[in-house]
Amino acid sequence: MTTPAMTATAAVAPAAVVPAIVGPATGSDGGTDDSACLRVAADFVRRHDTATLLPLLLPGLDGPQLHALTRHLSFAHAALLVFPPDPATLRAELAACGLSADTPPLPSSVVRDRLAARHRRDAAGLDVSILRPVVRGADGTRRAVEVFALTVPPGSDLWDVAEHERIHQHEAHLAFEVLRPEPLLLRGLCALLADRGAVPDGGGYNPHENGTVLYFTVPAASLAGYRRVELYAPGDHRDVLAGHLADGSAVRPAGRPSTGAPTDQPAETLLRLLTGAWATQALAACARLRLPDAVPPGESVDRAALAHRTGTDPRALATLLRYLAMLGVVTAEGERVRLTEVGALLREDAPASMRPLALMYGGPFYRSFGALDHTVRTGETAFDHLFGENHFDHFARDPELADLFDRSMAASTRMFDPVPGHPALVAAAARPDGGTVVDVAGGNGELLARVLTAHPGLRGVLLERPHAVEAARRTMAEAGCADRCSYRVGDFADVPAEGDVYLLSRVLHDWDDDRCRAILRHCERAMPAHADLLIVERLLPADGSASLATAWDVHMMCNVGGRERRADHYADLLAAAGLDLLAHTPLPLDAALLHARRPARP
C-alpha cells in the first residue's frame, strides 16, 4: 500500500518486452491452482446471505421486490469448475481448503452438455462430476461450494478445454434454491429476475438428483463479482425450463447489443443508476451519525430510542432508515431496527470495519468524483484540480485525514486472507535458516503481520515512510510479531536486498506505467536470484465482464492519477523490469495475487 508522500524515484525508460498472457488459474509449470479458487469461493459463501447478496447481483432491486425474492429464495452455493487429473487429487485439494464432501460425487449432465456444445466435443468423452462440500455461513446457515470437476489426466486432449474454461469461467455462478418450487411461482420468479435485467442463459434437468436448474446472466452493473446466477428447483420442472430456454434463445434485433437492462424500461433503469450518489451519501451519513454503533449486534432497537441515542430527528431518521433498508443495510421489524451483516460492517468495532471507507468515499473522494468530467476532458487528476495538490501530499499534511485513509485501506484487508498460503511463502518458511519477507510500501503492516503470524519461522522487513513505520510497529506488536520484524525508513529506491519473498500490495495501481517500471526495477535489483515477488492488485477482466476493478479504474484515474490493469499489461511491465509473470490467482473482493520472479537462466 503506497502511503502519502511515498514516491517512485528514477523513472526508467521502458525496455523491449515480451508479451505474456497468463490464465487466472495457471501455474508456472502449466498446472492449476484449483485450491486458491476453492478457498475464494468458500470465503464468499461464508460472508454472504440471501438478503445481502441479491441487491449486489441485481442493482436497483427495491424493497418489495427484494422482500419477494428473499421470501422464496435461499442462497445455496457458489459454484466453480475445476480440472483435477484424478478424483484423489480433487479430494486432496478440497481437504487442503478445509472442504469435505460427505456424499459421493454425482454425474453432472447439465455442465457436461454445456461443455460439449461450447467446445464441439462428444459429451460421452467428458467426465464431469458434482461435489458439494458444506460451508457454514456467518449466521450458521448450512450452504455449500458446488464443485464441478472435469477430469483432465496428464497428456489429455482436454487441456485446451480446461485452459479456455479457466480463463472465461463460464460455469462459475451463484445459486439460490427455490423454497416452494411450484410452476406458477417459478415463472413469477423468472419474470421478476428478467424485470431487474437478468437474461436467461440456459439450464437443464438433472435426472441423477431430480433437480431443475435455470441459469441467468446478471446485469453488467452487478457488483457481486459473478456473472451468472442459478435458480435451483428440486423436482422435474421441464415445462418451465422449456419456456426459459426459449426466452434465452430469442434473437435480439440487429445492431442492438445486450446490456443486461430491460429494453422496455430504460428510463427507470437510468433513474436507478443516477441515484447511486444518494446511496453513497446515505451510507456515509449512517457512518457519520454512528447509527450502526447504536444498534447492538444481533439485537433490534426501537426507532425512537435510536433517534434519542444518536441525537437525530425522529422523522428524518425514519426516512433514512427506510432507504437504508432498501439498500440492505438494516431490516425493519415494525418500529424496531436491526443491522444486517452489511450494516454491521459499518460499526467502528467490527473486524475490518468499513466505516472509514464510507467516510472516505462520502467525503474527499466524493468531492473529487464531482470533477470526473474535468479528468476525462483534460487528463488531469480531479483530486489535484480540486485540492491544489496530489492525494498523497494532501493527506500527509493532515494527520487526521491520513489516519482515516490508513484505516480505510485496512477495511479491505480481508482480501489478504489467502495470501499467507501462497507456495512462495510456504517455501520461504521452510528454509533451514528461516526466510525473510520484504514488504515494500507495506503501510501499517497488516499484510506482513498476517504472513509472519501464519509462518512463525519467517522474519519480516517493512519499508515505509516515517509516520507509516510507527503505525506498522503498533500492528506488529499487537500481532505478537514485533521481535521478528525490522523496519527501513525510505523510498522505493531503498528496497532492501537479501529477501526471499518481496510483497507489493496495492501499490502499482497508484502510478502510471513509467513509475511502475521504476518501482519494479528497484525491486528486481534488490531481489536475489531465487527470490519471488508477490503483487496484490485488482485485475481488469480481459473479456470486459463486470468487475470491481472496472469501477476502481475510474476511481484511481480520478483521485490519484493511477489505473487498474489487465494481467497481460502487468506482464509487460514486469518484463520491462526483467521479471516474468508466472501466475495469478483470485483473492477475495475481486482482487488477485500475481507471482513473478526472474526468468530461469541457462
Side-chain angles (χ1 to χ4, degrees):
M1 176 184 73
T2 306
T3 59
M6 186 154 192
T7 57
T9 59
V12 181
V17 295
V18 179
I21 300 177
V22 185
T26 306
S28 57
D29 59 355
T32 67
D33 196 357
D34 289 342
S35 295
C37 297
L38 289 165
R39 279 194 296 271
V40 170
D43 180 71
F44 188 96
V45 172
R46 291 187 187 101
R47 294 182 183 278
H48 292 85
D49 61 20
T50 308
T52 60
L53 191 50
L54 283 169
L56 295 177
L57 282 166
L58 303 170
L61 195 66
D62 58 21
Q65 289 182 325
L66 176 60
H67 180 66
L69 286 178
T70 52
R71 281 179 53 216
H72 297 294
L73 299 179
S74 176
F75 176 39
H77 64 253
L80 71 164
L81 176 60
V82 297
F83 309 92
D86 52 63
T89 299
L90 176 59
R91 293 281 182 177
E93 289 175 336
L94 290 172
C97 300
L99 299 172
S100 176
D102 53 9
T103 58
L106 291 171
S108 173
S109 56
V110 176
V111 173
R112 179 201 64 195
D113 293 345
R114 284 170 59 88
L115 286 171
R118 197 153 53 237
H119 297 279
R120 299 181 180 179
R121 296 279 185 142
D122 181 2
L126 301 175
D127 179 15
V128 183
S129 60
I130 310 176
L131 281 167
R132 293 191 180 92
V134 173
V135 173
R136 292 285 178 182
D139 57 358
T141 304
R142 181 185 173 98
R143 303 191 188 106
V145 175
E146 183 170 74
V147 182
F148 299 115
L150 171 63
T151 303
V152 183
S156 169
D157 66 349
L158 295 176
W159 185 252
D160 59 331
V161 174
E163 288 301 285
H164 174 90
E165 294 297 325
R166 287 192 189 103
I167 292 171
H168 295 285
Q169 300 289 312
H170 293 295
E171 299 306 325
H173 66 262
L174 300 176
F176 296 83
E177 183 171 352
V178 182
L179 300 178
R180 188 165 53 87
E182 300 171 356
L184 186 60
L185 174 65
L186 280 174
R187 290 190 176 94
L189 291 172
C190 289
L192 201 160
L193 263 66
D195 181 58
R196 290 269 46 87
V199 179
D201 185 27
Y205 170 68
N206 190 338
H208 300 288
E209 55 183 30
N210 189 29
T212 305
V213 294
L214 309 170
Y215 290 120
F216 296 82
T217 300
V218 297
S222 173
L223 300 175
Y226 283 77
R227 299 171 59 194
R228 299 174 65 240
V229 65
E230 168 196 306
L231 296 190
Y232 173 77
D236 186 346
H237 301 283
R238 277 178 277 191
D239 52 344
V240 178
L241 176 65
H244 175 78
L245 296 177
D247 289 342
S249 63
V251 179
R252 298 184 188 92
R256 180 178 297 175
S258 173
T259 63
T263 57
D264 59 343
Q265 52 175 1
E268 181 183 343
T269 298
L270 182 57
L271 279 174
R272 291 181 184 277
L273 294 173
L274 288 171
T275 60
W278 302 354
T280 302
Q281 283 302 329
L283 293 169
C286 178
R288 292 189 200 103
L289 295 168
R290 296 187 176 275
L291 299 181
D293 296 303
V295 182
E299 299 180 20
S300 63
V301 173
D302 181 76
R303 223 166 40 191
L306 182 59
H308 178 72
R309 291 181 188 179
T310 56
T312 53
D313 177 77
R315 182 176 176 180
L317 178 62
T319 300
L320 175 60
L321 289 172
R322 188 162 52 245
Y323 188 40
L324 292 173
M326 189 182 83
L327 296 176
V329 176
V330 300
T331 58
E333 304 165 352
E335 291 297 312
R336 301 188 70 80
V337 176
R338 183 187 301 269
L339 291 176
T340 65
E341 290 184 11
V342 171
L345 290 173
L346 292 173
R347 288 180 58 88
E348 189 165 34
D349 61 358
S353 168
M354 299 184 80
R355 180 176 184 271
L357 207 59
L359 298 176
M360 186 64 70
Y361 286 176
F365 290 155
Y366 190 87
R367 289 182 59 194
S368 58
F369 257 101
L372 176 60
D373 57 330
H374 175 83
T375 294
V376 175
R377 186 183 304 112
T378 67
E380 180 185 356
T381 304
F383 193 101
D384 299 13
H385 172 67
L386 285 176
F387 293 97
E389 58 187 339
N390 70 58
H391 156 277
F392 298 114
D393 290 343
H394 185 75
F395 284 11
R397 289 194 305 99
D398 185 335
E400 188 173 323
L401 199 54
D403 177 66
L404 178 62
F405 175 74
D406 287 342
R407 289 188 289 118
S408 72
M409 292 293 287
S412 298
T413 55
R414 57 177 54 87
M415 69 172 59
F416 296 156
D417 289 349
V419 173
H422 191 277
L425 291 165
V426 173
R431 293 177 67 86
D433 55 345
T436 298
V437 179
V438 178
D439 195 351
V440 179
N444 69 352
E446 175 69 27
L447 175 56
L448 186 57
R450 290 179 181 231
V451 170
L452 297 184
T453 300
H455 301 291
L458 286 176
R459 298 180 302 276
V461 181
L462 186 136
L463 172 68
E464 256 299 356
R465 304 296 290 187
H467 78 279
V469 164
E470 292 308 309
R473 289 183 191 275
R474 293 191 294 270
T475 300
M476 291 298 169
E478 292 170 2
C481 304
D483 60 335
R484 291 188 287 126
C485 187
S486 59
Y487 306 90
R488 178 75 60 87
V489 174
D491 218 318
F492 289 116
D494 305 309
V495 177
E498 305 308 319
D500 299 294
V501 179
Y502 287 74
L503 303 176
L504 271 178
S505 175
R506 298 181 294 177
V507 170
L508 297 179
H509 73 163
D510 288 332
W511 307 103
D512 61 22
D513 284 359
D514 286 343
R515 285 286 182 87
C516 285
R517 293 186 191 98
I519 294 167
L520 292 170
R521 285 185 183 278
H522 290 313
C523 292
E524 188 275 339
R525 280 195 288 267
M527 292 167 58
H530 71 279
D532 295 278
L533 174 63
L534 299 181
I535 300 169
V536 176
E537 294 289 356
R538 286 189 170 94
L539 296 180
L540 289 172
D543 61 357
S545 57
S547 168
L548 285 175
T550 304
W552 254 262
D553 196 27
V554 179
H555 169 71
M556 301 309 295
M557 174 182 71
C558 187
N559 286 289
V560 301
R563 61 185 299 183
E564 307 294 351
R565 298 169 172 89
R566 292 182 2 172
D568 55 342
H569 193 156
Y570 277 115
D572 289 347
L573 295 176
L574 286 159
L579 297 166
D580 281 349
L581 177 59
L582 304 182
H584 58 88
T585 53
L587 295 174
L589 302 182
D590 247 7
L593 184 61
L594 293 83
H595 179 200
R597 66 188 312 170
R598 285 200 181 95
R601 303 299 184 191

